[in-house]
Amino acid sequence: MANTVYDVTTWTGTPYIDPHTDIGAVINQIIANIKANQTTQTTRPGAVIYIPPGHYNLLTRVVIDVSFLQIKGSGHGFLSEAIRDGSSTGSWTETLPGASHIQVMNTDGNLEAFLVSRTGDPNVVGRLNSIEFKDFCLDGVTDSKPYLPGNSKIGISVQSDNDSVRIEGMGFVYLAHAIIIKGADAPNITNNFIAECGNCIELTGASQVAKITNNFLISAWAGYSIYAENAEGPLITGNSILWAANITMNNCNRVTISSNKLLSNFPSMIALLGTCTENLISANHFRRVYGDGTSTRFDDLFGLVHLEGSNNTVTGNMFSFNVPAANITPAGANPTIVLVKSGDGNYLATNNIVSNVPTMVVLDASTTATRIIYSAKSGQFNPYTTNYSFIATP
Amino acid sequence: MANTVYDVTTWTGTPYIDPHTDIGAVINQIIANIKANQTTQTTRPGAVIYIPPGHYNLLTRVVIDVSFLQIKGSGHGFLSEAIRDGSSTGSWTETLPGASHIQVMNTDGNLEAFLVSRTGDPNVVGRLNSIEFKDFCLDGVTDSKPYLPGNSKIGISVQSDNDSVRIEGMGFVYLAHAIIIKGADAPNITNNFIAECGNCIELTGASQVAKITNNFLISAWAGYSIYAENAEGPLITGNSILWAANITMNNCNRVTISSNKLLSNFPSMIALLGTCTENLISANHFRRVYGDGTSTRFDDLFGLVHLEGSNNTVTGNMFSFNVPAANITPAGANPTIVLVKSGDGNYLATNNIVSNVPTMVVLDASTTATRIIYSAKSGQFNPYTTNYSFIATP
Amino acid sequence: MANTVYDVTTWTGTPYIDPHTDIGAVINQIIANIKANQTTQTTRPGAVIYIPPGHYNLLTRVVIDVSFLQIKGSGHGFLSEAIRDGSSTGSWTETLPGASHIQVMNTDGNLEAFLVSRTGDPNVVGRLNSIEFKDFCLDGVTDSKPYLPGNSKIGISVQSDNDSVRIEGMGFVYLAHAIIIKGADAPNITNNFIAECGNCIELTGASQVAKITNNFLISAWAGYSIYAENAEGPLITGNSILWAANITMNNCNRVTISSNKLLSNFPSMIALLGTCTENLISANHFRRVYGDGTSTRFDDLFGLVHLEGSNNTVTGNMFSFNVPAANITPAGANPTIVLVKSGDGNYLATNNIVSNVPTMVVLDASTTATRIIYSAKSGQFNPYTTNYSFIATP
């Protein structure tokens, strides 16, 4: 086998560390070995580190500062720890997640299981490229809803400028932050199962053309399904976003959010905050219900979709609202489905709203030239401005 | 190598069984070994069983009752057996499917190649979690159109309550039922090639938030591409659904069907039956032609899209109908593109219909408050009620 | 290990060839070995060839004429060579792409790294089935924008009739042509990273139901993101298509282009040329800016979307145009967002246009019965015919 292929269970570093005791320290030894073997600019192809099925404790944070490293398991191994912790499990066959299962139990004073970071100015030392996490489970072990601040643990944090990071087929459970990527260019986050976490995906700093597709994203009410700031052009499509679905874009532009399924017990399912322009929200299904959890973060006037900024487009979506009247805040309010909070020239067309109580599409007094086309009936439209065009759904 | 990594070709059980003779019996031996090795609630991470490329007979049904098991091959190995069986193959290089190729030839009296089932009340013994089937081929060997009842064979049947099952990159061919999952929570069925089967995907019992994405689903006219009953919130997006595309939802709610390509020689491309509410059908392409196969299951008045239930949304789809007039049933009828068969408040907007013969959007007499907006020309609209709103496509 | 599992680094052929010196010759030896081992129609399951992380030169073209071959690496290993070649890299850690990295350096007079081709009439010798390329990097080593004709190198060329080819998780960089598939039936091109290439994906000859999903496609201004001719029913969804996004369909029908993100410095982001009927363009985000590159291939009257043919559907898309007036050609023109160049019965609904200069939806004089519904304001509509229906965006 090539010397670029590692298995945590057959690696014999000095000192020897059992990967079940501290897989983090083992992977750090392996990374040191890769760096010892690969010593010039043109001889650094990276390596693959395989994690066979098993339960592994991680006591030491892994620090990745080489490109092209693939860390790969044989399964995301999700088991609902929230259901487990609410059940009588005396006779359960399994009570832990499994497959290639890492229990994040840092004793090193760090919060991250995996930190991707390279010292030095990226322009001088180069960005980190094509690091890949595939098909294993990162488990925070113990936590309680809503997981923020919760156990404060972080699954993967990328803190240096990076290109084409891939996170695919992973499981994340009981983490305050599953994935944080700062300064991302073209990251690919696809086919993951992120559940019972505070925040699922956070794109901090500025990012370009992130692709977030085909995931389960299941966060509770204190955090975000997807949070991005200063992002240009992310594509968010084909995701099932649950429990407290909350996509928050802060000063983001040209975002595409299409063909997702969103379910939440709370308002703010998609929020475009600050100055967000020319975003597209199309062909999504929004389901709002009442259930597990309480939060005063947003009231029902915030909107399932909340728009700040200009020239955003909302087309062909389905909104399904079903909350008992007694559970609406402020009491007696007509909940807001779409709130155009600011901006000029926002465009809503052919959205269908179904609700068990009267609900509204609302225009803030500051907004101008919003077009609302077959997206609300006359009685569902509540403009605080006269500067709009409205074609009522018959 | 860790003792959680198995290869069917290197496994030496007692008695020894050649995996090419009966891979089912070999995998059952391996599962027994996993269970012998993993004996407590917190030491059951499961395992991975690798199937190298090769032709394997399966005489004995595999029964999976452990979580976190991944069964993995090196390719879905599809070859069209329908084309092969209609061709002169004397000089063909290959006449069988290949890659990690399992020939389902049960001699044990069972119909399934893989049965996932655990004895006991799921609340007591726990659900089955994160079982994964990846990148191999399940082949029913011999069959004839339309494959139902056909050879009656079943590829994968999951019959116990389950969470986050993954079926990815698989090939299925010549099976009456490719995939059946009962009581599914968050199953992930993605990137598979299911072809020349009776039914592709069946979600029986009740299911929650199934994700069915990025698949080829190619079924014949007796069965279903996707069948679900009592499902809440499935997401069906990015699939190419062919031959006799038929998505049937029975008493399902909040389904999202977006950005799919559907092709059929028959009506009933999407049917929402019973009481189906608040479903979204958006940005899909429907192509209806005449060709291979005959069926009296549905006539051309059934609708390419057939809606029973209330508050469903159909937006931004393309319908392309091209069937010779002589092949339309009942003879002389104007085929129905969308039939709103029952319910209140269904919503159709900006759908485009193209057809070689006059076709119709039809409202049943029992329907109320359907909105039809730029989805049919005046001559394409046929309401049997006066309780609707219609804005004709110019 | 089964004799169907190969590793290029452990293969010892006669003569022995170091895979780092010429991985192409090594893979050809392995294919010869597969053919020597698998000698009858029903004993040809193919094989998997593994490429561990490393830098490999390819001097000799690989010729694949067996079905079910999977060639698989441990990572797409992308590094931006365009950025590298424009930077001062003296202190960069890595200056080459990595992971399972093949440098395409043919010395055999051929242009292709991988040629999939079988001698003989496909009806007689059979089509090639289920060949799979997974998770490795094809790198053309040196090139200059716009990469066409560039170094003329080709990553993967499939030239015999084929069924269910899979190209997944691959990286391609600095190639004139990343992927060419002739006569494709149901190819699956998903989750790839194709960047800094002339053309990304070319479907030549005729093809059926290609599925192109979840990819990054980053081509420069001389070529195409996706080019297809005589294609029936491809599905293009969930892709991030950048730099000079250009999907060109030549005489193609029933194409579905949904939920993609497109960015370009040039016109012709989607062009349906010749006779293209009943195609669907829905829920996509189009961003047109001015920046890197110059080209006279299209002027700003060509259209971001250019339609030739009848009964095409364009619904629910967002168009964002931002080019300095001084950079528009012809000088002083109002750029065209959608040009309906020919055909009858094309249908545009609920598309939103945002632009920094006046832009237009244009109907050619030859067009008939186009419907433009809430897709342009009065001042944004420029018909050279009177045969249309127009409902202005308010």
Side-chain angles (χ1 to χ4, degrees):
Chain A
M1 189 68 80
N3 73 350
T4 55
V5 178
Y6 296 86
D7 178 330
V8 294
T9 63
T10 59
W11 169 252
T12 53
T14 305
Y16 172 76
I17 301 163
D18 185 330
H20 302 93
T21 305
D22 187 6
I23 194 172
V26 168
I27 294 177
N28 282 333
Q29 282 188 346
I30 292 172
I31 292 171
N33 189 254
I34 295 167
K35 291 160 75 172
N37 289 345
Q38 303 184 4
T39 58
T40 74
Q41 285 182 322
T42 57
T43 59
R44 290 195 171 108
V48 55
I49 301 175
Y50 177 56
I51 304 171
H55 300 302
Y56 303 89
N57 294 344
L58 183 147
L59 306 183
T60 305
R61 179 176 73 183
V62 175
V63 179
I64 299 176
D65 61 354
V66 297
S67 292
F68 315 124
L69 184 67
Q70 184 185 76
I71 303 180
K72 181 182 164 63
S74 287
H76 72 32
F78 178 75
L79 171 144
S80 170
E81 301 196 305
I83 293 176
R84 177 198 64 189
D85 290 347
S87 301
S88 177
T89 62
S91 298
W92 279 23
T93 307
E94 304 95 355
T95 54
L96 292 182
S100 301
H101 171 225
I102 293 180
Q103 302 193 89
V104 182
M105 306 169 69
N106 296 60
T107 56
D108 61 353
N110 294 308
L111 296 173
E112 308 93 341
F114 289 86
L115 174 66
V116 178
S117 177
R118 170 179 282 175
T119 303
D121 178 346
N123 293 314
V124 176
V125 299
R127 297 190 294 183
L128 284 161
N129 298 280
S130 298
I131 293 167
E132 306 190 3
F133 298 87
K134 290 189 76 165
D135 286 313
F136 63 96
C137 182
L138 285 169
D139 166 20
V141 183
T142 58
D143 212 346
S144 57
K145 298 174 192 170
Y147 315 123
L148 271 176
N151 60 26
S152 299
K153 295 178 183 180
I154 301 169
I156 297 170
S157 179
V158 183
Q159 291 295 324
S160 294
D161 281 4
N162 57 87
D163 193 9
S164 55
V165 166
R166 296 168 81 183
I167 300 178
E168 304 183 1
M170 296 285 295
F172 299 84
V173 58
Y174 267 19
L175 296 163
H177 308 263
I179 299 171
I180 302 171
I181 309 183
K182 183 179 176 185
D185 192 356
N188 193 41
I189 302 174
T190 196
N191 201 27
N192 299 288
F193 200 100
I194 308 180
E196 300 166 4
C197 287
N199 293 319
C200 293
I201 299 171
E202 293 160 88
L203 298 174
T204 60
S207 64
Q208 289 193 63
V209 296
K211 184 156 67 68
I212 299 173
T213 54
N214 202 17
N215 298 287
F216 279 101
L217 304 178
I218 307 173
S219 53
W221 53 91
Y224 303 106
S225 311
I226 302 173
Y227 173 83
E229 56 191 21
N230 310 311
E232 175 66 39
L235 174 61
I236 299 170
T237 185
N239 301 288
S240 292
I241 308 180
L242 308 176
W243 199 2
N246 182 324
I247 299 176
T248 293
M249 300 280 122
N250 211 329
N251 298 315
C252 295
N253 301 307
R254 272 75 61 182
V255 182
T256 307
I257 304 176
S258 294
S259 297
N260 299 286
K261 184 256 185 309
L262 298 101
L263 167 66
S264 184
N265 297 343
F266 302 92
S268 191
M269 296 176 71
I270 298 181
L272 308 184
L273 304 181
T275 304
C276 285
T277 62
E278 303 174 1
N279 300 288
L280 174 64
I281 299 171
S282 184
N284 301 289
H285 193 292
F286 297 79
R287 170 68 167 166
R288 166 80 161 89
V289 292
Y290 178 75
D292 188 28
T294 57
S295 167
T296 57
R297 198 158 55 140
F298 311 103
D299 67 19
D300 285 302
L301 300 178
F302 188 83
L304 298 189
V305 171
H306 179 107
L307 303 180
E308 300 178 9
S310 296
N311 295 317
N312 297 291
T313 303
V314 182
T315 51
N317 300 286
M318 166 94 211
F319 294 93
S320 159
F321 185 100
N322 187 6
V323 175
N327 299 111
I328 289 166
T329 59
N334 288 337
T336 302
I337 299 297
V338 179
L339 173 59
V340 184
K341 178 69 177 164
S342 67
D344 180 69
N346 290 295
Y347 179 101
L348 287 68
T350 63
N351 301 287
N352 187 24
I353 299 172
V354 180
S355 58
N356 69 316
V357 296
T359 54
M360 293 287 162
V361 171
V362 179
L363 306 185
D364 189 86
S366 68
T367 62
T368 52
T370 307
R371 277 80 39 94
I372 307 96
I373 301 170
Y374 298 122
S375 293
K377 296 181 182 177
S378 296
Q380 291 179 313
F381 183 55
N382 186 11
Y384 289 91
T385 171
T386 58
N387 188 345
Y388 62 82
S389 301
F390 178 62
I391 296 163
T393 300
Chain B
M1 191 65 83
N3 75 348
T4 54
V5 179
Y6 296 85
D7 178 328
V8 294
T9 64
T10 59
W11 169 252
T12 52
T14 305
Y16 173 76
I17 302 164
D18 184 331
H20 302 93
T21 305
D22 186 6
I23 194 172
V26 168
I27 294 178
N28 282 333
Q29 282 187 346
I30 292 173
I31 292 171
N33 189 252
I34 294 167
K35 291 160 75 172
N37 289 344
Q38 303 183 2
T39 57
T40 74
Q41 284 181 324
T42 58
T43 59
R44 290 196 171 105
V48 54
I49 301 175
Y50 178 54
I51 304 170
H55 300 301
Y56 303 90
N57 294 344
L58 183 147
L59 306 183
T60 306
R61 179 176 74 183
V62 175
V63 179
I64 299 176
D65 59 355
V66 296
S67 291
F68 315 124
L69 183 68
Q70 184 185 74
I71 303 180
K72 181 180 164 62
S74 286
H76 72 32
F78 178 75
L79 171 146
S80 170
E81 301 195 305
I83 293 176
R84 176 198 65 190
D85 291 345
S87 301
S88 176
T89 62
S91 297
W92 279 24
T93 306
E94 305 95 353
T95 54
L96 293 181
S100 300
H101 172 224
I102 293 181
Q103 303 194 90
V104 182
M105 306 169 70
N106 296 60
T107 55
D108 60 355
N110 294 308
L111 296 172
E112 308 93 341
F114 289 86
L115 172 67
V116 178
S117 175
R118 170 179 281 175
T119 303
D121 177 347
N123 292 315
V124 175
V125 299
R127 296 192 294 184
L128 285 161
N129 297 280
S130 296
I131 293 167
E132 305 190 4
F133 298 86
K134 289 189 77 165
D135 286 312
F136 63 94
C137 182
L138 285 170
D139 166 18
V141 184
T142 57
D143 212 347
S144 58
K145 298 173 194 171
Y147 314 123
L148 269 177
N151 60 25
S152 300
K153 294 179 184 180
I154 301 169
I156 296 170
S157 178
V158 182
Q159 290 297 322
S160 296
D161 281 5
N162 55 90
D163 194 8
S164 57
V165 165
R166 296 169 81 184
I167 301 177
E168 304 182 2
M170 296 286 296
F172 297 84
V173 57
Y174 268 19
L175 295 162
H177 308 263
I179 298 171
I180 302 171
I181 309 184
K182 183 178 176 186
D185 191 357
N188 193 41
I189 303 175
T190 194
N191 201 27
N192 299 288
F193 200 100
I194 308 179
E196 301 166 3
C197 287
N199 293 319
C200 292
I201 299 170
E202 293 159 89
L203 298 174
T204 60
S207 65
Q208 289 194 64
V209 295
K211 184 154 69 67
I212 300 173
T213 55
N214 203 17
N215 299 286
F216 280 101
L217 303 177
I218 308 173
S219 53
W221 54 90
Y224 303 105
S225 311
I226 302 172
Y227 173 84
E229 56 191 20
N230 312 311
E232 174 65 39
L235 173 61
I236 300 169
T237 184
N239 301 288
S240 291
I241 307 179
L242 307 177
W243 199 3
N246 182 324
I247 298 176
T248 293
M249 301 280 122
N250 210 329
N251 298 315
C252 294
N253 300 307
R254 272 77 60 181
V255 182
T256 307
I257 305 175
S258 293
S259 296
N260 299 286
K261 183 258 185 310
L262 298 101
L263 168 66
S264 183
N265 297 344
F266 302 92
S268 190
M269 297 177 71
I270 297 182
L272 307 183
L273 304 181
T275 303
C276 285
T277 61
E278 303 175 1
N279 300 288
L280 174 65
I281 299 171
S282 184
N284 301 288
H285 193 291
F286 297 81
R287 170 66 165 168
R288 166 79 161 91
V289 292
Y290 179 76
D292 188 26
T294 57
S295 168
T296 57
R297 199 159 54 140
F298 311 104
D299 67 21
D300 286 302
L301 300 178
F302 187 84
L304 298 189
V305 171
H306 178 108
L307 303 180
E308 301 178 8
S310 295
N311 296 317
N312 297 292
T313 303
V314 181
T315 52
N317 300 286
M318 167 92 210
F319 294 93
S320 158
F321 185 99
N322 187 5
V323 175
N327 300 111
I328 289 166
T329 56
N334 289 338
T336 301
I337 299 297
V338 178
L339 172 60
V340 184
K341 179 67 176 166
S342 66
D344 180 69
N346 289 295
Y347 179 100
L348 287 69
T350 64
N351 301 287
N352 187 23
I353 299 171
V354 180
S355 59
N356 68 317
V357 296
T359 53
M360 294 288 163
V361 171
V362 179
L363 306 185
D364 189 85
S366 68
T367 63
T368 52
T370 306
R371 277 80 39 93
I372 307 95
I373 301 169
Y374 298 121
S375 293
K377 297 180 183 177
S378 295
Q380 290 177 313
F381 183 55
N382 186 12
Y384 289 91
T385 170
T386 57
N387 187 345
Y388 62 82
S389 301
F390 178 61
I391 296 163
T393 301
Chain C
M1 189 67 81
N3 75 348
T4 55
V5 179
Y6 297 86
D7 177 330
V8 294
T9 64
T10 58
W11 169 253
T12 52
T14 305
Y16 172 76
I17 301 164
D18 185 331
H20 302 93
T21 305
D22 186 5
I23 194 171
V26 169
I27 295 177
N28 282 333
Q29 281 186 347
I30 291 173
I31 292 172
N33 189 254
I34 295 166
K35 292 160 73 172
N37 289 345
Q38 303 183 5
T39 57
T40 74
Q41 285 181 323
T42 57
T43 60
R44 290 194 172 109
V48 54
I49 301 175
Y50 177 55
I51 304 171
H55 299 302
Y56 303 89
N57 294 344
L58 183 147
L59 305 183
T60 306
R61 179 176 73 183
V62 175
V63 179
I64 298 175
D65 60 354
V66 296
S67 292
F68 316 123
L69 185 67
Q70 184 185 74
I71 303 180
K72 179 181 167 63
S74 288
H76 73 32
F78 178 75
L79 171 145
S80 170
E81 301 195 306
I83 292 176
R84 176 197 65 191
D85 289 347
S87 302
S88 175
T89 62
S91 298
W92 280 23
T93 307
E94 305 94 355
T95 54
L96 293 181
S100 301
H101 172 225
I102 293 180
Q103 302 194 90
V104 182
M105 307 169 69
N106 297 59
T107 56
D108 60 354
N110 294 309
L111 297 172
E112 307 94 341
F114 289 86
L115 174 66
V116 177
S117 176
R118 171 179 281 175
T119 303
D121 178 346
N123 293 315
V124 175
V125 298
R127 298 191 294 183
L128 284 160
N129 298 281
S130 298
I131 292 168
E132 306 190 3
F133 298 87
K134 290 190 78 167
D135 286 312
F136 64 95
C137 182
L138 285 169
D139 166 18
V141 183
T142 58
D143 211 347
S144 58
K145 300 172 193 172
Y147 315 123
L148 271 176
N151 62 22
S152 300
K153 295 178 183 180
I154 301 169
I156 297 170
S157 178
V158 182
Q159 290 296 323
S160 295
D161 281 5
N162 54 88
D163 192 9
S164 55
V165 166
R166 296 169 81 183
I167 301 178
E168 305 183 0
M170 295 285 297
F172 298 84
V173 58
Y174 267 18
L175 295 163
H177 308 263
I179 299 171
I180 303 171
I181 309 183
K182 183 179 176 186
D185 191 356
N188 193 41
I189 303 175
T190 195
N191 202 26
N192 299 286
F193 201 100
I194 309 179
E196 299 165 6
C197 287
N199 294 319
C200 293
I201 300 170
E202 294 159 88
L203 298 173
T204 60
S207 64
Q208 288 194 64
V209 296
K211 183 155 67 70
I212 300 174
T213 54
N214 203 15
N215 299 285
F216 280 101
L217 303 178
I218 307 173
S219 54
W221 54 90
Y224 303 105
S225 310
I226 303 172
Y227 173 83
E229 57 191 21
N230 311 311
E232 174 65 39
L235 172 62
I236 300 170
T237 185
N239 300 287
S240 290
I241 308 179
L242 308 176
W243 200 2
N246 182 323
I247 299 176
T248 293
M249 300 281 120
N250 210 330
N251 298 315
C252 295
N253 301 307
R254 272 77 60 182
V255 182
T256 307
I257 305 176
S258 294
S259 297
N260 299 285
K261 185 255 183 311
L262 298 100
L263 168 66
S264 183
N265 297 342
F266 303 92
S268 192
M269 296 176 71
I270 298 181
L272 307 183
L273 304 181
T275 302
C276 286
T277 62
E278 304 174 359
N279 300 287
L280 173 65
I281 300 172
S282 184
N284 301 288
H285 193 291
F286 296 80
R287 170 67 167 167
R288 166 79 161 91
V289 292
Y290 178 75
D292 188 27
T294 56
S295 167
T296 58
R297 197 158 56 139
F298 312 102
D299 66 21
D300 285 302
L301 301 177
F302 189 82
L304 298 189
V305 171
H306 178 108
L307 303 180
E308 301 178 8
S310 297
N311 296 318
N312 297 292
T313 303
V314 182
T315 51
N317 300 285
M318 166 92 211
F319 294 94
S320 158
F321 185 99
N322 187 6
V323 175
N327 299 113
I328 288 165
T329 59
N334 289 337
T336 301
I337 299 297
V338 179
L339 173 58
V340 184
K341 179 67 178 164
S342 67
D344 180 69
N346 289 295
Y347 178 100
L348 287 68
T350 64
N351 301 286
N352 187 23
I353 299 172
V354 180
S355 59
N356 68 317
V357 297
T359 52
M360 294 288 163
V361 171
V362 180
L363 306 185
D364 190 84
S366 69
T367 61
T368 51
T370 306
R371 275 82 38 95
I372 308 96
I373 301 169
Y374 298 121
S375 292
K377 296 179 182 179
S378 296
Q380 290 178 313
F381 183 54
N382 187 11
Y384 290 91
T385 170
T386 57
N387 188 346
Y388 62 82
S389 302
F390 178 61
I391 296 162
T393 299

